[in-house]
């Protein structure tokens, strides 16, 4: 299977601890024995901090996006360093470069690409371009909810939804540099049109991310309630 994995910066680069990068690297190495992997890293708190400062200095949204992209690529480079020889040595700058990098047989790690696209959108687009079998979005929330659970105590977590339902849920997300949402509107639309099965889950424990991918590879959904939210075409 070809897996497109989005790892949120708030998960991977939390407190900029090397242990998080090492833990993900070990799990990715294990997965790569059976699957092809393209990993897209987010920017997390550092990116949002830099974007906030950039705005205060007068940067527009495109300029702020470029700053955020730089941080995502730094996180990608740190993960590449942790992976060592198992990773393609540089983060691809675009989707065609990602395709060429994948042909190396190594784990491909990349960050953002162009302004206006979150790293979740990058993951969805690279998955579509490379015809991936599965998208996994490992983020700081445990799935997709009917509303923001931090603001609405009555928010309901979905176990399974269609891609069209996902679009309707996230369509009100503000498209600004550094925006936070389990899945942004562009990513949701790409998932809808590509019809690639997708899972949104909490990514703090890379071993659980690996478990989800291995379950999907054998077609098992017995632990669906623990996976987060499954998005189907």
């Amino acid at each position: 299977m070809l897996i497109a994995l989005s790892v949120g910066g708030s998960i991977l680069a939390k407190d900029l601890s090397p242990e998080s990068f090492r833990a993900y690297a070990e799990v990715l190495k294990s997965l790569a024995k059976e699957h092809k992997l393209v990993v897209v890293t987010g920017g997390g708190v550092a990116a949002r901090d830099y974007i906030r400062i950039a705005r205060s200095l007068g940067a527009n949204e495109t300029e702020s996006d470029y700053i955020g992209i730089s941080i995502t690529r730094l996180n990608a480079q740190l993960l590449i360093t942790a992976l060592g020889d198992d990773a393609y040595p540089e983060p691809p700058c675009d989707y065609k470069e990602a395709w060429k990098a994948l042909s190396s047989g190594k784990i491909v790690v990349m960050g953002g690409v162009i302004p206006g696209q979150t790293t979740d959108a990058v993951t969805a687009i690279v998955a579509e371009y490379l015809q991936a079998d599965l998208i996994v979005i490992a983020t700081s929330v445990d799935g997709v909810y009917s509303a923001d659970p931090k603001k609405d105590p009555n928010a309901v977590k979905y176990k399974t939804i269609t891609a069209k339902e996902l679009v309707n849920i996230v369509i009100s997300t503000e498209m600004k540099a550094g925006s936070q949402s389990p899945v942004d509107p562009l990513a949701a639309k790409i998932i809808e049109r590509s019809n690639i099965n997708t899972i949104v889950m909490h990514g703090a424990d890379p071993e659980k991310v690996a478990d989800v991918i291995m379950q999907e590879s054998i077609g098992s959904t017995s632990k669906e309630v623990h996976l987060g939210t499954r998005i189907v075409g």
Side-chain angles (χ1 to χ4, degrees), residues 20-101:
S20 178
F21 288 91
R22 288 195 187 105
Y24 255 97
E26 290 306 309
V27 165
L28 293 173
K29 288 178 185 180
S30 179
L31 285 170
K33 294 176 182 178
E34 297 187 38
H35 305 292
K36 295 180 180 179
L37 299 173
V38 178
V39 184
V40 183
T41 56
V45 174
R48 289 190 287 277
D49 285 345
Y50 271 83
I51 288 167
R52 174 179 50 80
I53 294 169
R55 286 198 186 111
S56 71
L57 294 172
N60 61 37
E61 288 306 305
T62 298
E63 291 171 322
S64 298
D65 270 336
Y66 274 121
I67 289 169
I69 287 167
S70 297
I71 303 300
T72 67
R73 290 175 60 79
L74 285 174
N75 285 339
Q77 192 64 66
L78 286 174
L79 184 55
I80 288 169
T81 301
L83 285 164
D85 292 339
D86 290 279
Y88 189 76
E90 293 291 333
C93 293
D94 59 38
Y95 303 109
K96 288 185 178 180
E97 281 191 21
W99 177 78
K100 292 177 182 177

Side-chain angles (χ1 to χ4, degrees), residues 19 30 32 42 61 69-70 96 105-106 128 135 170 183 189:
E19 295 309 316
S30 179
E61 288 306 305
I69 287 167
S70 297
K96 288 185 178 180
K106 295 181 179 291
E128 182 180 59
I135 297 169
V170 304
V183 184
K189 289 296 290 185

Side-chain angles (χ1 to χ4, degrees), residues 124-125 128-129 163 167 186-196:
I125 294 169
E128 182 180 59
Y129 186 66
V167 171
L186 177 57
K189 289 296 290 185
I190 298 299
I191 291 168
E192 181 184 29
R193 80 176 186 185
S194 65
N195 202 32
I196 298 173

Side-chain angles (χ1 to χ4, degrees), residues 193-221:
R193 80 176 186 185
S194 65
N195 202 32
I196 298 173
N197 285 343
T198 301
I199 291 173
V200 179
M201 64 176 293
H202 204 291
D205 185 348
E207 294 286 352
K208 290 185 178 179
V209 175
D211 287 345
V212 166
I213 290 173
M214 295 307 294
Q215 286 176 40
E216 290 296 310
S217 71
I218 62 174
S220 171
T221 60

Side-chain angles (χ1 to χ4, degrees), residues 171-189:
I171 200 65
S172 61
T173 299
E174 188 176 31
M175 290 296 289
K176 294 178 67 176
S179 295
Q180 289 181 278
S181 173
V183 184
D184 73 274
L186 177 57
K189 289 296 290 185

